[in-house]
Amino acid sequence: MHVLIVGAGGFIGRHLAGRLVAEGLRITAAGRVPARLERLIPGVSALSCDLSRDSVEAWHGRLAGVDAVINCAGLFGDARGYPQVHASGPAALFDACRSVGVGRVVQVSALGAHAQAASAYHRSKAAADDHLAALDPTGRDMGWVVLRPSLVIGRGGRSSALFAALAALPVTPRLGQAGGLVQPIHIDDLVEVVFRLLHAPLPLAERLDVVGPEPMTTDALIACFRRWLGLPRAWGVTVPRMVLAAVARLGAGPVTREGMAMLAAGNTAPLAPLVAATGCRPAPLEQALARCPAGEADLRAARLAPVVPILRLMLALVWLAGGIVPLVLTSQAASAAWLARVGLVGMPAIAALWTGSLADIAIGVALLATVRGAALAGIGLMTVYTLILAGTVPELWADPFGALIKNAAVLGLSLAVHTLETRRG
């Protein structure tokens, strides 16, 4: 069987592609950067696609010889892209599948997706779901299934990273009344559901809510992750809903306004229809997590997650201060005296002062804007500063306030921030 996976570079897509390759299926991964997909998922071929722009005709050649299509593509938090990536883009893909005779289509949607949903995310997902269902209502010619998963848990998932980070805090936050129940399913069980549906006989025309067996509060979910990480019980502190709402409005944390609305609405569904349609009974979350025990790397990643933005902020402040203080707070006489010590006077000194200060400010701003490579640029500039001062004013090594030796700490912080950049090319 030849399966085309759209959005194969995402969390669900990567796990799904890996399982299908292991089962001996021929997999083509589709995404914006094919070379990246081939690096991420060994054993697949890759092609370029862009759901925000590709027409029905653009898909025709790509679908030649394809037996099944799985659409895992999705955005969260970028409402401007929802109409294209979630609705019109998948609709064009599904129309092309129908016209070229693809045997079956699996659409990975979201629990709660329907036309009257409160969130734009769910409404846009529902638009593609409804379009697919209308193409062949009986599923006799082109079998189709819309999967609506609840919270999907597993290594590499953002939800898992978030709840593991919350669980690893010395004092665990209790979201309490901030939201309703969730019904998490492990990624391995979701992949098993898809695998079975790829081999299910036609006709196939299903909308399935994909959930785990246990509805739970977010507090219980955090506690589950804490046990998985091997951590003892910790004190909990209730986070008021108004605090979470303020954080969401400011965009200062991982919780968005849309995410808050989804959390408040709850995210549960009956399990029986999924079991009846697929024969797959997802494991309780605690058991599912136990299949892949947490190691030191998992605990380290969970504890680092909330620290990374703080490290970046502190490093940015160092660079901004290094640029602003000489221009605004330091007297011209003091600046001139310092520059004279390294052999710069007159216009060259003024040019060096402004060039260095603006470079420092630029790196600080780039760090705040999370520009990739900003910390690495800072390492280079700090190394240049250190070499110049070490060669021209070596007595600074003995400065009682550590004027030069402190550069080593900044270099170490810069290296840590650069290393913790998780985006892959």
Side-chain angles (χ1 to χ4, degrees), residues 41 159 369 412:
I41 316 168
S159 296

Side-chain angles (χ1 to χ4, degrees), residues 16-421:
L16 182 58
R19 167 68 186 278
L20 298 184
V21 168
E23 294 287 348
L25 279 64
R26 178 187 171 193
I27 305 301
T28 298
R32 293 185 179 181
V33 187
R36 175 178 178 271
L37 294 177
E38 291 177 345
R39 290 197 307 271
L40 286 176
I41 316 168
V44 306
S45 58
L47 57 82
S48 176
C49 77
D50 186 347
L51 286 178
S52 66
R53 294 183 294 186
D54 290 345
S55 64
V56 176
E57 293 73 21
W59 282 106
H60 282 165
R62 301 168 185 164
L63 295 172
V66 171
D67 301 301
V69 168
I70 305 171
N71 178 37
C72 302
L75 300 173
F76 189 76
D78 183 9
R80 294 172 299 178
Y82 291 167
Q84 293 77 36
V85 176
H86 289 172
S88 62
L93 169 63
F94 302 153
D95 287 343
C97 290
R98 181 69 165 135
S99 64
V100 304
V102 171
R104 67 188 65 210
V105 175
V106 178
Q107 156 77 344
V108 180
S109 182
L111 187 61
H114 58 84
Q116 287 76 43
S119 74
Y121 174 86
H122 283 128
R123 292 194 300 272
S124 63
K125 283 286 190 180
D129 301 348
D130 295 341
H131 186 89
L132 175 61
L135 291 176
D136 186 358
T138 65
R140 295 184 182 278
D141 297 319
M142 183 181 76
W144 58 268
V145 60
V146 172
L147 298 179
R148 296 183 292 211
S150 179
L151 195 66
V152 182
I153 297 300
R155 279 197 175 97
R158 291 185 178 181
S159 296
S160 296
L162 170 61
F163 285 105
L166 294 174
L169 293 172
V171 178
T172 55
R174 299 178 60 187
L175 305 185
Q177 301 301 314
L181 298 175
V182 294
Q183 202 164 343
I185 182 170
H186 196 272
I187 183 63
D188 291 346
D189 292 319
L190 173 58
V191 167
E192 177 64 25
V193 166
V194 175
F195 180 74
R196 296 189 183 198
L197 290 169
L198 286 176
H199 295 85
L202 297 181
L204 180 64
E206 295 274 5
R207 298 188 194 223
L208 296 173
D209 294 332
V210 185
V211 295
E214 297 177 322
M216 59 176 60
T217 64
T218 52
D219 293 347
L221 181 56
I222 292 171
C224 184
F225 268 97
R226 191 167 179 87
R227 290 190 293 273
W228 178 66
L229 291 169
L231 296 173
R233 279 187 158 186
W235 289 99
V237 57
T238 300
V239 181
R241 181 178 175 82
M242 64 178 63
V243 173
L244 287 175
V247 170
R249 280 195 299 271
L250 293 172
V255 181
T256 64
R257 297 181 70 177
E258 191 167 44
M260 281 291 298
M262 293 181 186
L263 187 63
N267 203 243
T268 63
L271 177 61
L274 176 67
V275 177
T278 66
C280 178
R281 183 176 291 277
L285 182 60
E286 194 117 28
Q287 294 179 16
L289 288 173
R291 294 191 298 234
C292 295
E296 291 184 8
D298 297 294
L299 180 57
R300 186 180 300 113
R303 284 179 165 163
L304 275 175
V307 176
V308 172
I310 298 174
L311 295 179
R312 180 177 286 273
L313 175 61
M314 293 298 99
L315 185 59
L317 291 178
V318 169
W319 281 105
L320 289 173
I324 294 172
V325 168
L327 294 180
V328 177
L329 300 180
T330 305
S331 67
Q332 290 185 357
S335 295
W338 266 104
L339 290 167
R341 295 179 70 182
V342 298
L344 294 173
V345 295
M347 288 303 299
I350 295 173
L353 174 66
W354 278 90
T355 300
S357 294
L358 293 178
D360 289 1
I361 292 170
I363 290 176
V365 171
L367 285 164
L368 291 177
T370 65
V371 174
R372 189 174 187 180
L376 189 60
I379 290 174
L381 188 56
M382 181 63 70
T383 300
V384 171
Y385 288 162
T386 302
L387 291 175
I388 292 173
L389 290 172
T392 58
V393 197
E395 61 269 23
L396 285 178
W397 288 112
D399 188 291
F401 294 102
L404 196 55
I405 197 64
K406 288 177 182 177
N407 285 0
V410 177
L411 286 170
L413 177 58
S414 301
L415 182 60
V417 171
H418 176 70
T419 303
L420 290 168
E421 287 185 339

